[in-house]
Amino acid sequence: MVQLILEHFGGLKDPRVARTKRHALSNVLVMALCAVIAGADGWEGLAQFARSRAQWLASFLDMPHGVPCADTFRRVLCALHPQAFEACMRRWMQALAREVRGQVVAVDGKSVRGALSKTLAGSPLHLVHVWASEQRLLLAQQAVAGAPGEVAAIPELLAQLQLQGAVVTVDANGCTAKVAQAVVHAGADYVLHLKGNRGPLYSHVKDMFAPVRANPEASHSGVDTHSRSVSKGHGRREVRTAWAVALRPEDLPPSAHKWPRLRTAVLLRRERTLKGKVSQEWHYYLSSLPPQARKLTGLIRGHWGVENGLHWCLDVCMGEDSRTIRHFNGAQNFAVLSRIALTLLRREKTLKAGVPTRRKKAGWDTDYLLRVLLAGFPEN
């Protein structure tokens, strides 16, 4: 099992000088991953787990110097190169992924609010995620300098993934011609959330849909397709109404000509009723797909799954927002461990329970912890 894990982490360079290497890098990483799966959420937690499970760890690790202390875990994970560690995670997750053709691949950012709040004058660690919505699998992530840094990072991330035939969805931060170009270059289609930061293109689309917004219940000759869907749950009722229009290149502003395969604009209205109160939101989207309102609404809804499927779980189930690691590299590397741990916990199917219960079970029962680790390999 250790050899299987090291197939993904084996290429990492040990950042320590030889005289300080009392514990092998492979041991530190395997112990840390086991500890995070079992509920550890900081340097002391990693050390406490290693001490309490030293006998079990020694059954498959060579540990001539016992287990590391909290300072050793901290020093190693703060010195480890974050981009190299993230690349290892990316290779591991891609080995688990199935083909994404026809599926939503959502790109969205998340701040780790407890990390770096002192060292960066209140700025939290911000990560861009690439999420296979249907498979509920994180394909890649990258740390950036806040939400504005997402724009440059997204094309780089997409270029490293196998996305042929997928539909890449991105929120307004990444709604740029360069992102659209990167998606098309990867052999995928796009659905991008359009807001006022796109200037003339946003104004054109907004003006085009002005008659629809003024009278949404009427029939409009310029609309190619129209759809309506209703969902209920947790005391909330939501009605989604969408209008899709084919875009004609000759009618678009000059800035739109940089957008490859730009075919469709979508207007989406979301009406929510909760405890008798009704709220309404309007959203615009651009897509390389044909103007099929029902299909596009489903794809847009698939993008929202990254919030519940990944971001909410990282905060609530893995305690990410409350984790106060003040070192930039350490915060990134602990985030990688959390995401690998969450993936493995979800892939283990024998225990019918939520992620928090599975983490407790892994801490109590090493046989179950072993099953979680083995769930990280396709043949299992």
Side-chain angles (χ1 to χ4, degrees):
M1 180 265 294
V2 174
Q3 290 304 315
L4 291 173
I5 294 175
L6 294 183
E7 286 179 8
H8 300 292
F9 291 146
L12 278 175
K13 181 180 179 181
D14 194 327
R16 299 169 293 175
V17 297
R19 62 182 175 79
T20 67
K21 297 180 183 179
R22 285 178 53 83
H23 303 280
L25 178 62
S26 57
N27 283 8
V28 174
L29 294 178
V30 171
M31 290 180 195
L33 178 58
C34 290
V36 174
I37 290 171
D41 206 24
W43 311 127
E44 187 58 40
L46 302 184
Q48 288 282 3
F49 172 84
R51 286 195 292 270
S52 65
R53 292 301 183 188
Q55 185 175 352
W56 177 72
L57 292 167
S59 68
F60 56 86
L61 296 176
D62 183 16
M63 298 162 43
H65 300 291
V67 299
C69 65
D71 279 347
T72 298
F73 280 112
R74 176 183 56 78
R75 286 195 300 269
V76 172
L77 287 169
C78 287
L80 200 63
H81 195 278
Q83 286 71 36
F85 200 29
E86 288 170 354
C88 292
M89 181 195 73
R90 184 164 57 247
R91 288 193 295 270
W92 192 347
M93 297 303 103
Q94 288 181 346
L96 299 178
R98 304 186 303 275
E99 185 180 17
V100 294
R101 184 174 299 275
Q103 299 178 15
V104 171
V105 174
V107 181
D108 202 11
K110 178 187 184 298
S111 292
V112 183
R113 302 194 181 280
L116 311 176
S117 58
K118 290 184 178 178
T119 57
L120 291 184
S123 299
L125 172 65
H126 194 82
L127 300 166
V128 178
H129 295 131
V130 183
W131 171 255
S133 294
E134 184 176 315
Q135 301 180 38
R136 294 171 65 84
L137 183 67
L138 179 64
L139 300 178
Q141 77 168 30
Q142 184 172 320
V144 298
E150 294 179 15
V151 177
I154 292 172
E156 296 176 7
L157 281 173
L158 297 180
Q160 298 167 13
L161 301 172
Q162 299 297 318
L163 298 174
Q164 288 80 1
V167 180
V168 177
T169 61
V170 188
D171 65 10
N173 277 337
C175 184
T176 67
K178 287 186 177 180
V179 169
Q181 291 163 10
V183 173
V184 171
H185 189 263
D189 282 293
Y190 59 81
V191 179
L192 309 180
H193 192 181
L194 177 66
K195 286 190 176 181
N197 56 344
R198 290 304 101 209
L201 186 54
Y202 173 80
S203 297
H204 175 83
V205 172
K206 184 178 179 181
D207 291 344
M208 185 175 63
F209 281 115
V212 177
R213 291 195 61 165
N215 190 2
E217 308 307 324
S219 296
H220 297 275
S221 58
V223 173
D224 289 273
T225 58
H226 167 260
S227 73
R228 182 179 184 273
S229 60
V230 180
S231 62
K232 299 178 181 179
H234 305 287
R236 182 179 64 182
R237 181 178 186 268
E238 181 168 293
V239 181
R240 291 174 294 277
T241 310
W243 298 262
V245 174
L247 296 173
R248 298 188 301 178
E250 62 271 21
D251 294 336
L252 295 172
S255 60
H257 299 155
K258 298 178 182 179
W259 295 67
R261 298 205 327 237
L262 179 56
R263 297 179 65 180
T264 300
V266 180
L267 172 63
L268 178 67
R269 181 181 66 180
R270 299 172 66 186
E271 293 179 298
R272 299 174 184 172
T273 304
L274 179 63
K275 297 180 179 179
K277 295 183 178 180
V278 180
S279 61
Q280 182 173 268
E281 298 176 357
W282 297 86
H283 302 276
Y284 300 99
Y285 295 88
L286 299 176
S287 180
S288 60
L289 293 166
Q292 300 169 353
R294 185 171 298 278
K295 178 179 179 179
L296 288 164
T297 301
L299 295 170
I300 292 166
R301 193 177 184 192
H303 177 84
W304 300 335
V306 69
E307 291 295 335
N308 291 332
L310 179 63
H311 297 170
W312 184 88
C313 285
L314 287 169
D315 287 339
V316 176
C317 303
M318 306 299 290
E320 182 155 275
D321 259 2
S322 60
R323 185 187 307 136
T324 53
I325 295 176
R326 309 302 189 189
H327 191 281
F328 188 71
N329 287 5
Q332 289 186 71
N333 290 329
F334 212 107
V336 169
L337 289 172
S338 292
R339 283 147 181 76
I340 297 173
L342 178 61
T343 299
L344 302 189
L345 285 159
R346 278 181 162 161
R347 288 178 62 86
E348 204 296 307
K349 302 298 185 183
T350 63
L351 180 61
K352 305 301 181 183
V355 170
T357 300
R358 294 185 188 198
R359 293 187 85 188
K360 290 179 181 178
K361 174 72 170 176
W364 296 330
D365 183 349
T366 54
D367 288 339
Y368 178 72
L369 175 54
L370 182 60
R371 288 202 299 272
V372 172
L373 288 169
L374 292 174
F377 304 96
E379 61 271 23
N380 292 288

